[in-house]
């Protein structure tokens, strides 16, 4: 007879290969406790993409001085709105290994946006752009600077397309969650709200994922802890699953910033991010019009 422990061990190995792959890519850490919690049904349900129409998506490419390459982008509108509508905008920053298509392809964010507006959120657009597969959305030793690209190139492009960029929101997950918080806190930022899902944040340089920063000095220069003043005029929401490798640091940062959000059942997975998208989009949409 196979023991319960053996069954759990076997079930965990077979049942969370996909989860481990995502976590390994995003964090460099394969969870242990999270595997057990998933086997026991303690992770919470995966988010289900709403069964609503998707709105128009306008995609294109531009030569970026900040990224030192040609980058792709997509602008996502809620159903019932057109690309000519002067909507406010939320910048969407992808996670490690992603690109501007990830938000729709992996999360179904186009339909979540329509659902948010149907639920009463003031209409807004989402704009996502290639930030580099492992740039961590900050200036690197190579002189690649995704923050410059967002501020000096992408936001003007959005304004030229008729979107209202006088004040904007920022949303990101994992690497992009860290990037969203970092960008919203830049001097001169016009961000009024930022939402971070499972942000890739570390307190100590010794713990960072390989390639996230160029050096200890780079880590310190782009640290979020200890610098709440940069986000003092920005509404912040941080959500992170309790079995996420970033859960402890995210909770500490949420407390330091007095941010909304919380720690829910879940791990560093697309299913968790989809589950939390309705709350994040409602948070951002409400503050864009307030």
């Amino acid at each position: 007879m196979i023991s319960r422990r053996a069954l759990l061990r076997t079930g965990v190995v077979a049942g969370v290969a996909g989860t481990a792959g995502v976590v390994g890519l995003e964090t460099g850490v394969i969870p242990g406790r999270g595997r057990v919690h998933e086997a026991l049904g303690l992770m919470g349900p995966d988010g289900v993409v709403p069964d609503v129409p998707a709105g128009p998506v306008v995609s294109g490419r531009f030569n970026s001085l900040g990224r030192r390459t040609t980058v792709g982008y997509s602008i996502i509108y809620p159903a019932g709105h057109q690309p000519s509508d002067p909507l406010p905008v939320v910048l969407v920053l992808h996670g490690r290994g992603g690109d501007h298509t990830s938000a729709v392809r992996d999360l179904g964010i186009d339909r979540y946006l329509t659902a948010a507006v149907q639920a009463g959120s003031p209409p807004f657009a989402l704009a996502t752009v290639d930030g580099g597969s492992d740039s961590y959305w900050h200036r690197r030793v190579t002189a690649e600077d995704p923050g410059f690209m967002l501020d000096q190139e992408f936001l003007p492009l959005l304004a030229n397309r008729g979107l209202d960029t006088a004040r904007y929101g920022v949303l990101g997950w994992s690497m992009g969650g860290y990037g969203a918080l970092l960008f919203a806190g830049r001097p001169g930022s016009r961000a009024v709200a930022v939402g971070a899902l499972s942000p890739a944040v570390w307190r100590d340089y010794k713990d960072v994922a390989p390639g996230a920063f160029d050096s200890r000095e780079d880590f310190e220069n782009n640290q979020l802890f200890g610098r709440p003043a940069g986000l003092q005029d920005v509404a912040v929401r941080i959500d992170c699953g309790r079995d996420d490798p970033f859960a402890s640091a995210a909770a500490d940062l949420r407390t330091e910033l007095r941010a909304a959000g919380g720690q829910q059942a879940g791990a560093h997975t697309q299913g968790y991010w989809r589950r939390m998208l309705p709350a994040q989009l409602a948070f951002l949409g409400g503050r864009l019009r307030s």
Side-chain angles (χ1 to χ4, degrees), residues 237-279:
R237 177 176 179 124
I238 300 173
D239 290 298
C240 194
R242 67 186 177 201
D243 287 306
D244 192 300
F246 297 117
S248 178
D252 290 345
L253 187 60
R254 187 186 309 110
T255 298
E256 182 173 309
L257 297 177
R258 299 181 180 180
Q263 189 174 99
Q264 305 85 9
H268 205 83
T269 65
Q270 294 169 4
Y272 171 76
W273 300 330
R274 287 193 298 267
R275 178 167 20 113
M276 300 309 301
L277 269 179

Side-chain angles (χ1 to χ4, degrees), residues 27-28 96 134 136 140 202 207-213:
T27 71
R96 190 175 186 180
D134 59 355
Y136 278 79
R140 307 306 299 261
W202 297 271
D207 297 325
V208 304
F213 298 92

Side-chain angles (χ1 to χ4, degrees), residues 54-65:
V57 177
V58 175
S59 297
R61 300 176 69 81
F62 64 92
N63 294 322
S64 170
L65 178 64

